[in-house]
Amino acid sequence: DDPIDSLLDDIEDALEEDDLERALALVERARGEYPHDPEVLGAYGDVLWDCGELQAALAAYRDAERQAPEDGDIVMALADCHFALCQFDEARAVAVRVNKMEEHAGAQALLGRLAERANLIEEADRLFERAQQLDPDAYPKPYRVSEDEFRELTRVALDRLPDNFREAMEGQVALVVEPVPSQELLTGSEPPLDPELLGLYVGVPLPERTHDMTKVPDVIY
């Protein structure tokens, strides 16, 4: 095997095993030996991402893109990182550029997620279907329910809570159903929350409350 390929495989294995310390050591070695290789720079971005350093990962992906601007997979990593940072306009622009080079399953799926955020569900499903056709294993089509069905499922879940939990929530916790997390909610922390977040509790847990706190209901989104 090519030494660089073996090193990249080792980095990938370390990430899959969630051994971030080993992944960091390997990727630093790779950067020392192959400082301008786009795949090494992309792997550095992957490791930084897994370490929660999204801004640093974005810089690494930009370096990789500069070295290989026509490599769809490398450029797609940049688009995905923009999306993870809630930089949705930038993510769309890069994904469109990837698709112009060659139709790309990841780009179609990302554009589908962006269409969902714009409440363009038919367009989103068309993009998801194309991503699934291009790469069936990586991009299964999403499962859809109507808003009424979702609210009914939510009601059923609440009814199944033990009585003491329901009693503690009453008047203390508001339940808010939204199609997608709002930009304000996602970017209210640093780094931003995951744009594909399915649920979030915002408030002060009961054991941490004090008597002088203003009685504002907490929220589960």
Side-chain angles (χ1 to χ4, degrees), residues 138-216:
Y139 299 102
K141 288 189 287 188
Y143 175 74
R144 299 278 187 210
V145 297
S146 69
E147 183 174 342
D148 287 344
E149 288 173 305
F150 187 86
R151 289 184 181 277
E152 175 61 17
L153 291 168
T154 303
R155 186 194 63 75
V156 170
L158 287 171
D159 286 346
R160 289 176 177 171
L161 287 175
D163 290 342
N164 58 328
F165 280 87
R166 283 206 310 275
E167 289 166 6
M169 289 176 63
E170 192 164 346
Q172 301 292 328
V173 181
L175 189 64
V176 177
V177 176
E178 297 179 331
V180 294
S182 70
Q183 179 99 12
E184 294 74 22
L185 191 68
L186 293 172
T187 56
S189 61
E190 182 57 43
L193 299 173
D194 182 353
E196 295 185 277
L197 191 70
L198 297 178
L200 181 69
Y201 165 76
V202 177
V204 181
L206 287 175
E208 298 176 18
R209 293 187 184 180
T210 60
H211 293 295
D212 58 350
M213 284 185 171
T214 304
K215 288 276 187 175
V216 177

Side-chain angles (χ1 to χ4, degrees), residues 74-92:
I74 285 175
V75 181
M76 195 60 225
L78 177 63
D80 285 331
C81 196
H82 277 305
F83 182 80
L85 283 163
C86 303
Q87 298 168 355
F88 300 125
D89 290 341
E90 293 89 339
R92 180 180 293 103

Side-chain angles (χ1 to χ4, degrees), residues 79-147:
D80 285 331
C81 196
H82 277 305
F83 182 80
L85 283 163
C86 303
Q87 298 168 355
F88 300 125
D89 290 341
E90 293 89 339
R92 180 180 293 103
V94 177
V96 167
R97 179 154 58 89
V98 170
N99 261 342
K100 285 181 179 177
M101 291 189 281
E102 182 178 5
E103 193 175 22
H104 192 286
Q108 298 284 32
L110 179 56
L111 291 170
R113 296 199 293 277
L114 290 165
E116 276 187 324
R117 290 198 58 80
N119 199 31
L120 302 172
I121 302 304
E122 289 186 9
E123 179 182 343
D125 283 345
R126 177 182 60 78
L127 290 159
F128 287 135
E129 183 172 0
R130 185 56 184 152
Q132 198 265 342
Q133 291 169 352
L134 292 167
D135 192 342
D137 294 331
Y139 299 102
K141 288 189 287 188
Y143 175 74
R144 299 278 187 210
V145 297
S146 69
E147 183 174 342

Side-chain angles (χ1 to χ4, degrees), residues 28-49:
E28 289 296 352
R29 176 186 154 197
R31 290 176 68 215
E33 295 179 11
Y34 311 98
H36 303 297
D37 185 272
E39 291 192 29
V40 168
L41 293 168
Y44 183 44
D46 294 344
V47 174
L48 290 168
W49 190 330

